[in-house]
Amino acid sequence: MELQLLSQELSEELARIQSITKDVVKRSDLSIVLCRNLLIKFKRHISKIKFHSPTEEIHFFKRAKQIPLSNLVYFFELKSFEIHYPKGSDSTKKKYINRKLKKVNEFFSRILDFIQYIVLEKTYLDTHYFTREFFDEFNITHARYYFRDPDFSTSHDLLLAKLNANRRLIAYMDQRLSNIGKLNGQIAIPSNRLNWTGSKTDMTELAYALKSSGAIN
């Protein structure tokens, strides 16, 4: 299917961008543009054709569209995370990340039934979730924006995209959290070794001074 091929090409291009672009914000910007462009192509294509069966429509909204849509959500959130990432102490950075992690976990808690449905690869509600016939039944709290095109959205396609994006975001933030306090990939451990740089005479005089003061005996 042409749309599936376009999704596969997008995945390959996103991987290429990641391999050559180290700056996370810049990489996110480039990825967002690619995802948006593909979604525009998808929308134009869908407006011109009619799915031959509910199975074909489900496959598009549950599989093909998810690649640009979930990546779009992920890179939006990733960019926002990095832009607002604090420049202060390690403690400040940890608080920021933990606050973000808590917010994502709260999202997961609100959709536990849907997560179980997806993880267990259930399909009995796919017609309800991933065809446009039931678009009006989606929960508005699941959407980042209040308006979504009913001709290009189902009740749960955005929710699935947010679920997949947040899974990746959690992994990224966990890695960020574990890297705090590390230097060049290694844990920065303060050195306890002390080196005497004075002369032997200076050391002897210091020892006598400490003994005379009663500090040592």
Side-chain angles (χ1 to χ4, degrees):
M1 187 177 181
E2 180 186 355
L3 300 183
Q4 192 68 38
L5 179 60
L6 290 173
S7 291
Q8 181 179 344
E9 291 174 351
L10 173 66
S11 297
E12 294 170 356
E13 184 62 19
L14 292 176
R16 188 187 72 83
I17 290 174
Q18 182 169 352
S19 68
I20 64 176
T21 311
K22 300 305 179 184
D23 183 86
V24 177
V25 174
K26 183 177 180 180
R27 185 167 73 233
S28 297
D29 281 335
L30 293 172
S31 301
I32 287 169
V33 171
L34 288 178
C35 293
R36 278 178 168 170
N37 289 342
L38 183 55
L39 285 170
I40 290 171
K41 287 183 181 179
F42 278 6
K43 183 177 179 181
R44 289 173 179 167
H45 182 83
I46 293 303
S47 68
K48 297 176 183 177
I49 61 104
K50 183 177 182 180
F51 291 110
H52 296 108
S53 66
T55 300
E56 187 177 341
E57 184 173 1
I58 289 168
H59 182 271
F60 172 74
F61 286 106
K62 190 178 182 181
R63 305 296 180 192
K65 185 185 174 185
Q66 285 301 311
I67 295 177
L69 186 58
S70 65
N71 275 291
L72 181 66
V73 175
Y74 172 69
F75 286 110
F76 257 121
E77 297 299 332
L78 182 61
K79 179 182 177 181
S80 176
F81 173 85
E82 286 296 335
I83 287 176
H84 295 96
Y85 192 79
K87 306 296 184 184
S89 65
D90 286 354
S91 176
T92 301
K93 293 174 182 177
K94 289 178 180 179
K95 287 179 181 178
Y96 172 78
I97 297 176
N98 284 322
R99 187 165 62 247
K100 292 290 185 179
L101 286 169
K102 180 180 179 182
K103 185 176 180 180
V104 174
N105 281 313
E106 287 173 351
F107 165 77
F108 288 149
S109 296
R110 292 195 299 270
I111 61 166
L112 285 177
D113 289 342
F114 182 67
I115 291 175
Q116 185 177 31
Y117 179 84
I118 295 299
V119 170
L120 295 178
E121 298 182 346
K122 301 293 185 180
T123 59
Y124 64 94
L125 289 175
D126 277 5
T127 301
H128 201 88
Y129 288 163
F130 300 109
T131 65
R132 290 164 294 178
E133 181 180 355
F134 300 97
F135 171 79
D136 290 336
E137 297 184 16
F138 83 99
N139 188 331
I140 202 168
T141 61
H142 293 161
R144 186 178 181 89
Y145 306 108
Y146 291 116
F147 175 77
R148 293 168 63 208
D149 188 344
D151 293 325
F152 190 58
S153 304
T154 71
S155 64
H156 284 64
D157 66 332
L158 179 58
L159 184 61
L160 178 57
K162 290 183 68 175
L163 170 59
N164 291 328
N166 279 330
R167 282 173 172 169
R168 295 172 63 188
L169 195 63
I170 282 231
Y172 179 85
M173 290 191 292
D174 280 342
Q175 185 62 49
R176 267 297 221 157
L177 193 62
S178 67
N179 285 339
I180 293 176
K182 294 182 180 180
L183 184 62
N184 296 326
Q186 300 295 325
I187 298 176
I189 302 176
S191 175
N192 291 322
R193 183 178 177 182
L194 299 176
N195 295 315
W196 180 261
T197 59
S199 66
K200 291 183 178 180
T201 301
D202 294 333
M203 182 181 289
T204 302
E205 291 178 352
L206 177 60
Y208 277 120
L210 290 173
K211 184 174 182 180
S212 298
S213 68
I216 59 175
N217 54 49

